[in-house]
Amino acid sequence: MLKVALIQSYGACDPKEGLNKQIELIYKAKEQGAQIVCTQELFRTRYFCNRIDPRFFEWAEEINGPTFQSFIEIAHKLNIVLIGSIFEKRTPGLYHNTAIVIDADGKYLGCYRKAHIPDDPGYFEKYYFTPGEMEFPVFQTRFAKIGVLICWDQWFPEPARILALRGAQIIFYPTAIGWLLEEKQSFGQDQLSAWQSIQRSHALANGIYVASVNRVGIEGDERSRCIEFWGRSFFADPFGRIIKEAGEKEEILLAEIDFALIEKTRINWPFLRDRRIDLYRKITERFLS
């Protein structure tokens, strides 16, 4: 059995404070037996995309910046795989929403840059992030073959399918999602249910594990949209069942992963075997009239 931890926490007002807090939680996850640890989306700071303000670009870091350096050291010291979500400054004027993957020996395996960038009330991400151009890489870590997608990516079936076809056993989704306060009463439960349902469907359709980690707390002020991040991080198994789910407060969510269940599920529900790839060429077109 593989033990995997998702760190669900509050956003910080200062990047250094946020990084130090996350390091504390990583150590706690290791004490609980975690072998792979994944952070929430943009964990070092508050979710700044709920308003447009050029000052927030000062929070960006280069790929080999403070988070990278700290995670390299910690992964090697603790013998754990780390997945960290950062606000990446690739070059002046070019920024990404990025996840870095560090193996258990401290080796940097690579990164994934968020491909699907939303632009909704309270989620003004197109102002900050350039879409990634990577074709959904898979990372062979010491403990598992994993894929990483980020938040808005989780609503699209194509990336999950590609990662499964490339051999991923677990897909991690670092996330920042919640309710706009004025909408919670009307749409709250339906939005949460939809968020879980779409990711459970990725697990089921592909016969893999899904691990989705969200943040918690209310963020916003008179200059930005107020969002109540609902937490509720969870693991779904290859049958689409939620096997572990967090609450709405800060929490380290730990689950045991049994890779034998992947083969068992795919033998009984052989969706990959029965795909009609000869009929899917049109999927790359924007719209079919």
Side-chain angles (χ1 to χ4, degrees):
M1 290 286 191
L2 174 69
K3 289 189 176 181
V4 179
L6 305 179
I7 298 181
Q8 172 178 291
S9 61
Y10 296 94
C13 295
D14 175 77
K16 291 182 180 179
E17 175 189 338
L19 179 56
N20 289 336
K21 176 65 179 297
Q22 199 73 188
I23 290 172
E24 286 181 26
L25 294 171
I26 290 170
Y27 272 87
K28 290 181 180 179
K30 172 61 177 181
E31 290 172 1
Q32 296 175 34
Q35 296 163 281
I36 301 179
V37 180
C38 183
T39 75
Q40 66 200 28
E41 184 182 16
L42 303 171
F43 73 86
R44 291 183 71 208
T45 64
R46 53 161 286 201
Y47 180 75
F48 52 87
C49 306
N50 60 353
R51 82 167 183 254
I52 293 175
D53 189 332
R55 291 177 296 178
F56 289 132
F57 286 100
E58 297 174 5
W59 285 354
E61 58 182 307
E62 294 182 355
I63 198 78
N64 61 347
T67 300
F68 179 94
Q69 299 298 334
S70 296
F71 278 29
I72 287 281
E73 180 181 344
I74 295 167
H76 181 264
K77 180 179 180 179
L78 301 183
N79 293 309
I80 58 175
V81 174
L82 289 178
I83 303 159
S85 173
I86 67 171
F87 181 16
E88 180 198 356
K89 179 180 180 180
R90 190 171 179 183
T91 194
L94 186 61
Y95 298 80
H96 296 284
N97 189 334
T98 301
I100 58 173
V101 181
I102 314 297
D103 208 355
D105 58 358
K107 180 182 178 181
Y108 173 58
L109 296 181
C111 73
Y112 166 72
R113 297 183 173 113
K114 187 173 181 177
H116 303 89
I117 310 297
D119 187 24
D120 293 326
Y123 298 87
F124 305 115
E125 294 196 14
K126 287 190 189 303
Y127 176 74
Y128 295 100
F129 306 129
T130 299
E133 67 277 14
M134 299 171 170
E135 295 185 355
F136 311 113
V138 165
F139 305 96
Q140 179 64 68
T141 73
R142 178 184 297 179
F143 304 118
K145 200 169 185 179
I146 67 172
V148 184
L149 300 171
I150 302 173
C151 203
W152 194 233
D153 292 329
Q154 66 205 185
W155 298 94
F156 298 84
E158 295 88 352
R161 175 52 55 85
I162 290 170
L163 289 176
L165 293 177
R166 287 183 167 157
Q169 297 164 296
I170 312 170
I171 299 178
F172 289 89
Y173 287 99
T175 301
I177 191 170
W179 298 292
L180 296 176
L181 293 187
E182 65 270 24
E183 294 182 356
K184 181 179 178 180
Q185 185 172 355
S186 299
F187 304 109
Q189 187 56 45
D190 290 339
Q191 290 174 340
L192 174 58
S193 176
W195 175 70
Q196 292 182 332
S197 296
I198 189 65
Q199 292 173 92
R200 291 175 63 191
S201 73
H202 298 329
L204 177 58
N206 294 294
I208 55 175
Y209 284 91
V210 162
S212 184
V213 52
N214 193 19
R215 66 172 59 212
V216 294
I218 297 176
E219 299 183 13
D221 52 35
E222 67 278 359
R223 293 175 295 170
S224 59
R225 300 296 294 268
C226 282
I227 302 174
E228 180 181 350
F229 295 97
W230 59 53
R232 305 293 288 273
S233 303
F234 69 93
F235 292 90
D237 73 6
F239 205 70
R241 298 170 294 199
I242 293 180
I243 55 175
K244 280 291 185 69
E245 181 179 1
E248 297 178 1
K249 303 294 183 182
E250 185 171 273
E251 183 174 346
I252 297 172
L253 186 68
L254 196 71
E256 290 188 339
I257 303 299
D258 178 9
F259 291 128
L261 187 58
I262 293 177
E263 183 172 13
K264 182 178 179 181
T265 302
R266 288 181 176 179
I267 287 173
N268 287 283
W269 280 3
F271 300 134
L272 298 187
R273 183 197 69 189
D274 294 341
R275 293 175 64 238
R276 289 295 307 277
I277 57 175
D278 56 314
L279 301 179
Y280 300 158
R281 296 185 184 91
K282 292 290 185 179
I283 197 66
T284 59
E285 297 187 22
R286 180 68 66 183
F287 178 73
L288 302 175
S289 60

